[in-house]
Amino acid sequence: MATFLSRPATAPAASYEITDSGNSNMKVVVRIRPENELEIRSNCQAVTKVLDEHVLVFDPSPDNAPTFQDRGPSGHKRRFNLGKKHKDLRFAFDRVFDETSSQVDVFEHTTRHIIDGVLDGINCSVFAYGATGAGKTYTMLGNLENPGVMFLTMMELYRRINQLRDEKIFEVAVSYCEVYNETLRDLLVPSSGTLHLRDDGQNGLVVSGLTKHQPQTANDILSLLEIGNGNRTQHPTDANATSSRSHAVFQVFIHQKARTAGLSTQVTCAKMSLIDLAGSERATVSTNRGSRLREGANINKSLLALGNCINALADNKGKTGHVPYRNSKLTRLLKDSLGGNCRTVMIANVSPSALSYEDSYNTLKYADRAKQIKTKCVRNVLNVDFHVVKYKKIVQELQKEISELKAKLAKKTPKKQAVNTTEAERLQ
């Protein structure tokens, strides 16, 4: 197992400096996926209508209903819930993406901006929420032609890190685990068996035995993502042929310090969590049996616990109150992301078809509640005074920095001399 920035025994004088960045509400966006083949064949009405980039209508009345191309022999769409009054509910979110939105559009308005916070020492989380088949895994992981939020975020993160390497020294580590049937498993080293959550007095809640890997480039991270996704539990169901049967949590740990750091320095620490939740399923409309039925029950149990936490946090509105995090392994893992020291983005995925009427309605209700959750963000800065035995290493790092600067200066000098020679010849 790779070790990552363990606190040296020779640096006893270390303390955290907490800088308050103020309270902020959870950012909530909604993505509506295109209709799949089954939904197109069913010829049902759409139950979502996007008014603008912030507002959508659920189950619009006939006057507000979107227009469609004729697909059925009657020339119009069938209504799924005959005899019921249209809800015609309007929901406002930080961003609404319609069926034509691209992966890049979602990335630009969700994780791109929180990378600034990660590099400033603020914990950040992004998680996809919705029913099975709503497009969560596609949004987070994507495919070779259209990479998802995780891929695009890692590419942008390393691009920003490379821009700052002349000023700062970075150490990056990643972990990837899943919650399957209320048990934890390391997706990068699946042979490690079942893992357990532990309350560490120094580091808070940790997954005991979870390996951390230190990639050097963005391509290294992408290789780790590919390995982890290959080990993730997936099985076909009635609702989704490639249904994810577990919650996947990919975490990136970033420690940085100035290149000019001496015997006393500040180390900025941050954690970014990218979470792909399994989708909820209604047993009454599913033909799942045996292990698939048990998986669905455990998925629904953890998502119910998540919904209860969202309701409790929204009711508290930043005040102290009981939040049932311990009802599920998932909610214990997401405790910091939901109500702790973290900037959080929730991507709610829904289907536009009336076939997923109840699932889409429930997802939008929870997403609307999540807007009320307030989080308190602080910068995580570790002040370290190095012991005398570290002097040698510090001197070596300074000598290495001087050599790098000399090499860069040597590359620039010939160009400058060439410019001066050309200028002199022109004057003659």
Side-chain angles (χ1 to χ4, degrees):
M1 181 177 67
T3 57
F4 175 60
L5 275 180
S6 57
R7 185 172 299 177
T10 53
S15 61
Y16 272 103
E17 175 186 303
I18 303 298
T19 304
D20 193 350
S21 297
N23 295 336
S24 63
N25 284 62
M26 180 185 292
K27 182 175 182 177
V28 181
V29 304
V30 172
R31 187 180 194 184
I32 304 171
R33 65 158 173 78
E35 288 185 315
N36 57 33
E37 293 183 4
L38 175 63
E39 292 166 344
I40 293 174
R41 289 197 305 268
S42 70
N43 199 38
C44 289
Q45 283 187 347
V47 292
T48 58
K49 177 185 178 182
V50 178
L51 296 184
D52 57 36
E53 60 184 23
H54 298 292
V55 180
L56 67 81
V57 180
F58 177 76
D59 192 14
S61 62
D63 294 337
N64 294 326
T67 58
F68 303 97
Q69 296 179 347
D70 293 345
R71 292 188 187 139
S74 60
H76 60 83
K77 291 269 189 174
R78 293 188 301 111
R79 192 178 174 201
F80 184 72
N81 53 341
L82 293 174
K84 292 185 179 180
K85 184 179 179 181
H86 291 275
K87 293 185 181 293
D88 200 27
L89 295 175
R90 295 197 178 196
F91 292 94
F93 298 101
D94 293 285
R95 192 82 180 188
V96 176
F97 301 97
D98 62 17
E99 296 93 327
T100 63
S101 63
S102 67
Q103 300 281 60
V104 175
D105 292 334
V106 177
F107 163 71
E108 290 286 344
H109 294 92
T110 53
T111 58
R112 185 184 185 94
H113 300 293
I114 68 172
I115 292 176
D116 294 329
V118 173
L119 295 176
D120 195 35
I122 297 174
N123 298 333
C124 300
S125 293
V126 179
F127 68 93
Y129 181 87
T132 186
K136 300 179 302 302
T137 300
Y138 176 77
T139 296
M140 296 302 290
L141 301 178
N143 52 38
L144 291 176
E145 294 77 21
N146 297 291
V149 168
M150 286 186 180
F151 176 94
L152 297 173
T153 301
M154 292 301 101
M155 296 299 290
E156 177 65 14
L157 176 63
Y158 267 84
R159 187 186 70 80
R160 299 281 294 278
I161 287 176
N162 289 333
Q163 289 179 341
L164 297 171
R165 285 198 185 277
D166 290 342
E167 304 170 13
K168 297 181 179 180
I169 298 173
F170 288 88
E171 291 190 38
V172 180
V174 300
S175 66
Y176 202 7
C177 69
E178 72 171 0
V179 182
Y180 173 68
N181 282 343
E182 285 298 298
T183 59
L184 288 164
R185 194 166 69 102
D186 191 337
L187 289 176
L188 299 179
V189 186
S191 59
S192 57
T194 302
L195 307 179
H196 300 279
L197 286 169
R198 298 281 186 263
D199 284 316
D200 187 328
Q202 182 179 3
N203 301 314
L205 189 68
V206 297
V207 181
S208 178
L210 181 63
T211 58
K212 292 182 181 178
H213 303 256
Q214 294 181 278
Q216 300 303 313
T217 65
N219 288 332
D220 293 341
I221 280 192
L222 299 180
S223 297
L224 292 172
L225 269 174
E226 185 176 357
I227 293 171
N229 295 334
N231 292 325
R232 190 175 175 188
T233 306
Q234 290 185 330
H235 294 292
T237 65
D238 293 343
N240 189 356
T242 57
S243 177
S244 300
R245 311 304 289 167
S246 66
H247 310 293
V249 182
F250 183 76
Q251 292 186 314
V252 185
F253 305 85
I254 302 172
H255 291 196
Q256 56 181 302
K257 64 179 180 180
R259 280 189 173 274
T260 56
L263 302 180
S264 179
T265 186
Q266 288 187 335
V267 179
T268 303
C269 313
K271 176 179 66 176
M272 179 165 61
S273 302
L274 302 172
I275 304 150
D276 177 24
L277 298 177
S280 59
E281 288 186 351
R282 287 181 293 153
T284 55
V285 296
S286 172
T287 59
N288 292 338
R289 296 293 182 270
S291 59
R292 297 294 84 78
L293 183 63
R294 185 171 62 256
E295 288 170 354
N298 280 305
I299 290 171
N300 290 341
K301 174 186 175 182
S302 57
L303 291 176
L304 177 61
L306 176 61
N308 290 336
C309 289
I310 289 175
N311 286 332
L313 289 165
D315 290 338
N316 291 338
K317 295 181 179 179
K319 301 176 183 178
T320 302
H322 174 67
V323 180
Y325 291 116
R326 286 188 167 272
N327 288 358
S328 168
K329 295 281 181 65
L330 174 66
T331 49
R332 290 187 69 191
L333 273 177
L334 297 184
K335 181 177 179 180
D336 287 341
S337 301
L338 291 173
N341 168 26
C342 191
R343 285 180 183 168
T344 303
V345 178
M346 174 182 179
I347 306 175
N349 297 81
V350 298
S351 163
S353 174
L355 292 180
S356 302
Y357 185 95
E358 294 295 337
D359 291 331
S360 296
Y361 181 43
N362 290 333
T363 298
L364 291 173
K365 284 196 301 182
Y366 276 120
D368 191 55
R369 292 284 288 170
K371 294 187 305 180
Q372 308 301 322
I373 297 176
K374 293 184 179 293
T375 59
K376 185 178 180 66
C377 300
V378 297
R379 293 182 66 239
N380 304 297
V381 181
L382 180 63
N383 295 312
V384 179
D385 294 323
F386 291 105
H387 194 271
V388 66
V389 298
K390 288 288 180 179
Y391 288 8
K392 182 178 179 180
K393 183 178 179 181
I394 293 172
V395 171
Q396 290 174 344
E397 290 178 351
L398 292 173
Q399 288 175 339
K400 180 181 178 182
E401 183 180 356
I402 291 171
S403 299
E404 291 174 355
L405 293 173
K406 284 182 177 179
K408 291 180 181 179
L409 187 60
K411 290 180 181 179
K412 293 180 179 180
T413 301
K415 295 181 181 179
K416 186 175 181 181
Q417 290 176 346
V419 171
N420 292 337
T421 301
T422 305
E423 183 69 17
E425 290 175 350
R426 188 181 64 81
L427 293 174
Q428 290 176 356

